[in-house]
């Protein structure tokens, strides 16, 4: 059985002080949740990663970053590398979020380079894929998913793909309050898993964890997480408050499949 993984994507929110406060509150609210039930990740902005690491060290909460560059070091003004993230105490890294694709010209090619670099440095990539409203309305959902998945995983071996997390995030559901129905999420997740089985093999497809993201809230968590191919959530807005994120994590830990 795949263990659920709930990650909070804090986006460009929270100062260092606010990060420490929220991370401490989460630690208090989630301390008694056994690590066998669900993996918990928070992804604060770069500026507060080290402070967040100090708070969550030796807790059941792991640290993630929201992006990285694929080179180890060099004259790349403004970028942050995988070794730098490791040094700050990071374990997971979100790659290819739709906001990066939309506003910062991220492509399947850059996503692929970042996924490879993350794996080479022992970070676990959370690779985001998902269609826009226009794509969905034009009947292109599966085509876009195939393009994002095959492009992002290019030249990776099965043992590498087994380590990564894919986050299915329909762009029309992000920050809009419009969640995909559990059936829509399940359909997309099953498509992605079947595609990975076709590209690699059955074991790789079955080990791969696929998160759903897009307006996940305490009220819709159980039904979404109960879908057979939904293995967790990437949570934006609702991860910015301790009560709502904890409630999402706790509801997920109660899901029986
Ligand atoms: P949302 O964001 O939960 O606010 O819709 C999800 C995401 O962008 O990862």
């Amino acid at each position: 059985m795949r263990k659920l993984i709930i990650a909070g994507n804090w986006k460009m929110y929270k100062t260092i002080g606010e990060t420490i406060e929220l991370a401490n509150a989460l630690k208090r609210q989630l301390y008694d949740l056994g690590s066998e039930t669900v993996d918990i990740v928070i992804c604060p902005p770069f500026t507060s990663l080290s402070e967040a690491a100090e708070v969550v060290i030796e807790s059941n909460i792991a640290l993630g970053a929201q992006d990285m560059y694929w080179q180890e070091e060099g004259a790349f003004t403004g970028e942050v590398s995988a070794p730098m993230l490791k040094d700050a105490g990071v374990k997971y890294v979100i790659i290819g979020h739709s906001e990066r694709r939309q506003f910062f010209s991220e492509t399947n090619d850059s996503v692929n380079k970042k996924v490879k670099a993350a794996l080479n440095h022992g970070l676990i990539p959370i690779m985001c894929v998902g269609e826009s409203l226009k794509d969905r309305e034009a009947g292109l959902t599966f085509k876009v998913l195939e393009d994002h998945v095959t492009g992002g995983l290019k030249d990776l071996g099965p043992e590498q793909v087994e380590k990564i997390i894919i986050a299915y995030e329909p762009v029309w559901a992000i920050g809009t309050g419009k969640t995909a129905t559990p059936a829509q999420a399940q359909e997309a997740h099953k498509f992605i898993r079947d595609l990975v089985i076709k590209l690699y093999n059955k074991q790789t497809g079955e080990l791969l964890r696929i998160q759903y993201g897009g307006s996940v809230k305490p009220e819709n968590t159980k039904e979404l997480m109960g879908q057979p191919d939904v293995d967790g959530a990437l949570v934006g807005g609702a991860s910015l408050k301790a009560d709502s994120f904890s409630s999402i994590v706790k509801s997920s830990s109660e899901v029986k499949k």
Side-chain angles (χ1 to χ4, degrees):
M1 200 66 239
R2 294 176 296 268
K3 197 205 243 187
L4 293 177
I5 172 164
I6 309 297
N9 172 13
W10 294 7
K11 309 196 179 184
M12 201 173 73
Y13 291 99
K14 306 290 176 193
T15 59
I16 293 173
E18 289 165 347
T19 295
I20 294 172
E21 203 179 308
L22 177 53
N24 268 315
L26 290 172
K27 213 166 95 169
R28 271 197 306 276
Q29 295 186 4
L30 296 170
Y31 79 95
D32 59 345
L33 215 64
S35 57
E36 66 289 343
T37 54
V38 52
D39 285 326
I40 312 165
V41 185
I42 55 169
C43 305
F46 290 137
T47 47
S48 43
L49 284 174
S50 323
E51 284 80 3
E54 275 178 39
V55 177
V56 300
I57 197 163
E58 285 170 13
S59 78
N60 53 356
I61 302 175
L63 194 61
Q66 299 174 21
D67 186 28
M68 54 165 264
Y69 193 52
W70 60 80
Q71 297 280 4
E72 278 180 27
E73 59 178 11
F76 303 104
T77 303
E79 293 297 318
V80 173
S81 71
M84 290 169 183
L85 295 180
K86 290 274 292 187
D87 186 42
V90 166
K91 181 170 175 193
Y92 296 86
V93 56
I94 299 172
I95 291 176
H97 189 277
S98 67
E99 285 148 18
R100 302 242 25 115
R101 295 181 191 254
Q102 207 180 330
F103 306 128
F104 304 98
S105 316
E106 194 90 62
T107 62
N108 285 334
D109 187 47
S110 60
V111 168
N112 180 242
K113 287 192 173 107
K114 290 179 179 189
V115 167
K116 284 181 191 151
L119 287 167
N120 286 341
H121 288 94
L123 289 167
I124 302 173
I126 299 178
M127 184 182 93
C128 302
V129 302
E131 81 288 357
S132 66
L133 184 59
K134 210 164 131 230
D135 297 329
R136 181 162 278 265
E137 285 174 349
L140 296 173
T141 299
F142 293 150
K143 192 172 172 300
V144 171
L145 292 181
E146 181 159 8
D147 182 55
H148 285 176
V149 171
T150 49
L153 300 183
K154 196 165 148 261
D155 303 327
L156 291 182
E159 64 298 331
Q160 289 177 300
V161 176
E162 285 163 20
K163 286 196 195 108
I164 80 168
I165 317 277
I166 291 186
Y168 167 61
E169 298 208 306
V171 180
W172 48 271
I174 296 179
T176 57
K178 235 179 163 185
T179 321
T181 63
Q184 281 172 323
Q186 169 57 24
E187 183 188 37
H189 283 230
K190 173 129 182 29
F191 175 83
I192 294 168
R193 193 175 316 284
D194 286 346
L195 175 62
V196 170
I197 290 174
K198 196 172 92 191
L199 293 171
Y200 293 90
N201 58 61
K202 199 161 160 54
Q203 178 186 303
T204 302
E206 281 173 0
L207 286 173
L208 174 75
R209 290 193 287 178
I210 309 174
Q211 290 177 314
Y212 168 78
S215 299
V216 174
K217 308 180 258 267
E219 308 83 70
N220 57 28
T221 300
K222 271 214 166 136
E223 220 188 334
L224 283 163
M225 296 307 115
Q227 300 303 307
D229 288 291
V230 175
D231 311 313
L234 183 56
V235 187
S239 73
L240 296 173
K241 291 226 160 58
D243 288 353
S244 51
F245 190 65
S246 296
S247 154
I248 289 171
V249 172
K250 284 183 184 160
S251 303
S252 303
S253 74
E254 289 158 9
V255 168
K256 301 264 175 298
K257 300 209 204 196

